[in-house]
C-alpha cells in the first residue's frame, strides 16, 4: 500500500516538490555557509519524494538528548532558514495541497503536503524515520516524562 501511495504521490506533485527541496539544498551547499541547511534539504527532499511509511520527528525525542540542531543554535538556524527558503517551500507545499484537495482522491496527498509545509518552515533538528520507529520513540519519550513527574 505504501508503494502505491508513494507512486501516486510522485504523480500528484510530490516529485516536483522533492526537486525543489534538492535545488534548495544545492544552493545551500554552494554558499558553503549553508551546508547545515543543505544537509537538511537533501534529507527532507528524499522524504518529500517518498513520504508514505515515514515520518519527521524531533531528534531529541528520538535520541532522548539534545544536540546542536535541537537547541538554541537550531532555533536560530530555523529562523534564518525560514526567511531565506522555508517560507517559499511552505508556499509551494500549500499550493500543491490546495491543488490535490480539489479531488476526493487527492485529499490524503494534500494532507501530506500540509505536513511537509510545516516541516519546511523549521527543518533543523528533525530526522526522518519509519512510522513505527516514530511511534516507539514518542512512547518512550512520554514514559520518561511521566516517570520524571512521579518523582
Amino acid at each position: 500500500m505504501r508503494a502505491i501511495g508513494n507512486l501516486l504521490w510522485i504523480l500528484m506533485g510530490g516529485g516536483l516538490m522533492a526537486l525543489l527541496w534538492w535545488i534548495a539544498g544545492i544552493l545551500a551547499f554552494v554558499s558553503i555557509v549553508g551546508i547545515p541547511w543543505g544537509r537538511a534539504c537533501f534529507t527532507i527532499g528524499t522524504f518529500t519524494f517518498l513520504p508514505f511509511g515515514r515520518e519527521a520527528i524531533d531528534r531529541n525525542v528520538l535520541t532522548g538528548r539534545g544536540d546542536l540542531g535541537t537547541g538554541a543554535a537550531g532555533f536560530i538556524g530555523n529562523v534564518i532558514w525560514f526567511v531565506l527558503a522555508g517560507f517559499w517551500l511552505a508556499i509551494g507545499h500549500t499550493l500543491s495541497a490546495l491543488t490535490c484537495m480539489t479531488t476526493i482522491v487527492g485529499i490524503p496527498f494534500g494532507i501530506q503536503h500540509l505536513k511537509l509545509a510545516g516541516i519546511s518552515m523549521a527543518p533543523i533538528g528533525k530526522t526522518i524515520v519509519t512510522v513505527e520507529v516514530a511511534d516507539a520513540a514518542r512512547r518512550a519519550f512520554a514514559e520518561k516524562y511521566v516517570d520524571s513527574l512521579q518523582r
Side-chain angles (χ1 to χ4, degrees):
M1 197 65 180
R2 290 176 181 175
I4 292 169
N6 282 323
L7 179 64
L8 290 172
W9 168 259
I10 292 168
L11 300 173
M12 299 283 284
L16 174 65
M17 288 308 300
L19 181 65
L20 292 175
W21 271 100
W22 293 327
I23 290 170
I26 290 169
L27 292 173
F29 267 93
V30 167
S31 73
I32 304 295
V33 178
I35 289 175
W37 292 283
R39 184 174 173 267
C41 284
F42 287 114
T43 300
I44 296 173
T46 303
F47 173 52
T48 300
F49 191 68
L50 300 169
F52 290 97
R54 298 186 301 158
E55 191 173 325
I57 186 170
D58 289 332
R59 278 197 314 265
N60 60 351
V61 171
L62 182 66
T63 63
R65 59 184 178 10
D67 60 28
L68 186 62
T70 60
F75 175 77
I76 293 167
N78 278 326
V79 170
I80 294 167
W81 166 258
F82 178 78
V83 171
L84 296 177
F87 177 73
W88 303 107
L89 286 166
I91 287 175
H93 279 295
T94 303
L95 292 175
S96 295
L98 294 173
T99 303
C100 287
M101 288 185 178
T102 59
T103 66
I104 300 284
V105 174
I107 291 175
F109 303 109
I111 292 170
Q112 189 65 36
H113 272 297
L114 292 176
K115 289 179 187 176
L116 287 162
I119 294 166
S120 68
M121 290 191 260
I124 306 296
K126 299 216 183 294
T127 192
I128 310 302
V129 295
T130 63
V131 172
E132 296 81 14
V133 170
D135 289 341
R138 283 192 192 98
R139 259 191 314 280
F141 188 79
E143 288 173 8
K144 189 176 177 182
Y145 180 73
V146 169
D147 287 343
S148 72
L149 290 177
Q150 293 176 345
R151 291 182 190 166

